[in-house]
Structure formats: structure tokens, C-alpha cells
Amino acid sequence: MLSARSLFEEIVGNDDSFRLFCSIAASGEAQGGWENGRIAALLPASMAALAPKVARHGTDEDKHGRIFQALMRKRGLTPAPVPVETDYTALLERRGIGLTHDKLRREEPLTELDIITYLSHSRVTEERASGQMLMLTKYFGDHPELGRAVRMISDDEDNHLAYCHEELLRLARAGHGRTIQRILRECARAEIVVYRDVSLAVMAHMGRILKWSGSKSAALAAGIWAVYCYERVAGWRRMVSLRMPERRNALGGPATPEPEFA
């Protein structure tokens, strides 16, 4: 029976597919770490109080990248080249979502609108990350090789999502509510397209590595398209809602140390 659990177990159980999975994840986390680090350094003076939280966000993302690298090293694997069609962050940037790398490479302070854009983009992408890590924790939380890593990353992603909710609500109360909602909708609608395309590309690569049958690959692609259709009609709304999180000031303290294997 084809299920999400059996699919991930198959990917994790093969060194080549596991290598590609970890390489894609590590690359994305490293990009997120760099982006948040640059944003923390370029915050406008009016938002300087956010700097420790943005920097903590970047530190967490860097840590996640190192954890995925460590998981490969434990198996004696080296990182694989990341196919361009699986680069979630770059594809979002290409669609004009978030802050461009060109802007972040400059030594010019960002504007308040830039930070609202960053937080809105993060709120949408962290919703996706939190959901994915919750699923991996469900399937692999007790796994002897992966359990500690996925639990730690999942907890961090929940903190990141809570931070985005809290900061965006604060900015909404300061009069930016309409701008926030507009940017959230733009980000969500673009993200579900990029997520669909990346998912199809990743599954195509995994299918070639694992020698899936045509019918299995077609069934997985149909499932990805079904998720996309649901999100396009109604599911995107969960990405644009804002609510005060149970975890308050989620990024206000020191980062959690990495597991010793990392």
C-alpha cells in the first residue's frame, strides 16, 4: 500500500535517495540561515529590537543545515548536487516572493516594508516547514538514526512559526494590517505553486534513483496535484491567518544546542 510513511521509509532506507533528500534540505536551510543573518544586519533603526530574534532564526537554520550534513556523514555519504528545479528558496525568489539576494547583498538598511515582507514570507514558508517536520516526527520521531534530529528541527520550526505570528500581529496593531494581508496572500498563492513544482521534481528524481514503476510515479504525481488543487481552492487560507501563538517570545532566548552527533 502506498502511503506517506512507506514512501519516506523507502527514501530513508536507500543511501542515494537519502543523500539527495538531505542535500536538498541542507542547502535550503543554509540559504535560510544566510538570509536571516543578512536581514538581522540590515534592519532599519526603527526595528532594531528585532535583531536578536532574526539572528536567532538564522542561527537555527544554519544548525539545521549542519544536522542534515551530519546525518549524511554518519552514513559515510557526501552531499549531492542540488538540482535547480528542487531549489525551493530560489524558485520563490524568482517569483518575486520575499527579499531578493541582490538586495540582501547590499550594505543598505532595509525598510519597514521590507521587514513586513520578510516576516510575511517567513510566516507562509514556516507554516509549510512546521507541517512537514510534524509529519516526519510522526513517522521518525523514535527512529534510532533520525529521531533526535527531526524532533529538534520540528521544535525549532514551531518556534519560527510562532515568532512570525506574534511579530506580524504586533505590526498589524501598529497599522500595517492591510499591507500584511496583501503580502501574505501573494506569498501563499505563489508558495503553493512552487511547492507543487518542487515536490514533483523531487519525486521524479527519487523515482529514478529507486526505480519506481510508471504507475507508482504517476500515483505520487496525482497525489501532489490533488494537494495543490485543494490548497489553491481553500488550503492557502491557513497560511494567511494570524493568531496569537501559545509560544510567546519563541525566539527570545538562546538557540538550542545541536545533538552531539552534529
Side-chain angles (χ1 to χ4, degrees):
M1 178 180 176
L2 187 60
S3 67
R5 180 190 292 272
S6 65
L7 175 68
F8 279 109
E9 286 177 344
E10 189 174 0
I11 291 170
V12 168
N14 178 281
D15 280 351
D16 289 335
S17 55
F18 183 72
R19 177 188 181 220
L20 179 60
F21 172 80
C22 288
S23 297
I24 292 171
S27 174
E29 298 287 359
Q31 287 186 69
W34 178 82
E35 290 170 3
N36 279 278
R38 290 301 298 155
I39 291 166
L42 299 174
L43 282 166
S46 60
M47 293 182 161
L50 267 180
K53 295 181 181 181
V54 180
R56 161 75 185 277
H57 192 176
T59 298
D60 284 348
E61 302 287 5
D62 283 336
K63 177 182 70 179
H64 299 167
R66 292 193 299 273
I67 289 173
F68 282 114
Q69 296 273 2
L71 290 172
M72 286 188 280
R73 286 198 303 273
K74 283 189 71 176
R75 287 201 190 181
L77 304 173
T78 57
V82 175
V84 293
E85 64 272 21
T86 68
D87 193 332
Y88 175 80
T89 303
L91 291 172
L92 282 172
E93 181 180 351
R94 196 175 302 166
R95 283 182 166 267
I97 301 302
L99 303 180
T100 67
H101 283 192
D102 178 63
K103 180 187 285 283
L104 295 179
R105 289 188 185 99
R106 301 174 200 160
E107 295 299 330
E108 301 172 7
L110 299 171
T111 66
E112 288 192 0
L113 179 59
D114 288 331
I115 303 309
I116 291 169
T117 299
Y118 147 70
L119 286 168
S120 299
H121 166 258
S122 295
R123 185 263 174 273
V124 170
T125 56
E126 293 296 343
E127 178 82 34
R128 182 74 70 188
S130 177
Q132 288 183 319
M133 292 311 303
L134 180 64
M135 178 176 63
L136 287 176
T137 300
K138 177 182 176 182
Y139 298 148
F140 295 107
D142 295 326
H143 191 279
E145 181 183 13
L146 305 178
R148 188 174 184 185
V150 297
R151 292 196 307 271
M152 172 174 283
I153 296 172
S154 181
D155 187 62
D156 286 346
E157 300 296 6
D158 289 346
N159 281 339
H160 300 166
L161 183 58
Y163 146 76
C164 292
H165 275 280
E166 188 170 7
E167 295 304 328
L168 284 170
L169 284 170
R170 180 181 61 79
L171 288 166
R173 288 194 297 271
H176 299 287
R178 289 186 179 180
T179 300
I180 291 168
Q181 281 301 312
R182 173 180 59 79
I183 297 173
L184 281 173
R185 289 189 177 96
E186 291 172 356
C187 288
R189 286 169 176 157
E191 194 278 343
I192 64 172
V193 174
V194 169
Y195 180 70
R196 176 203 65 193
D197 292 346
V198 168
S199 297
L200 290 169
V202 170
M203 287 301 105
H205 282 281
M206 295 299 177
R208 286 191 286 273
I209 292 171
L210 296 167
K211 297 180 171 56
W212 288 338
S213 66
S215 59
K216 182 172 182 176
S217 294
L220 289 170
I224 291 168
W225 275 98
V227 170
Y228 165 71
C229 290
Y230 165 73
E231 291 189 334
R232 183 178 179 184
V233 173
W236 64 271
R237 297 179 186 279
R238 80 181 187 282
M239 297 180 171
V240 304
S241 63
L242 291 175
R243 61 190 180 280
M244 187 56 69
E246 292 182 10
R247 300 185 184 198
R248 303 293 291 273
N249 195 31
L251 297 188
T256 306
E258 296 168 55
E260 63 273 7
F261 66 76

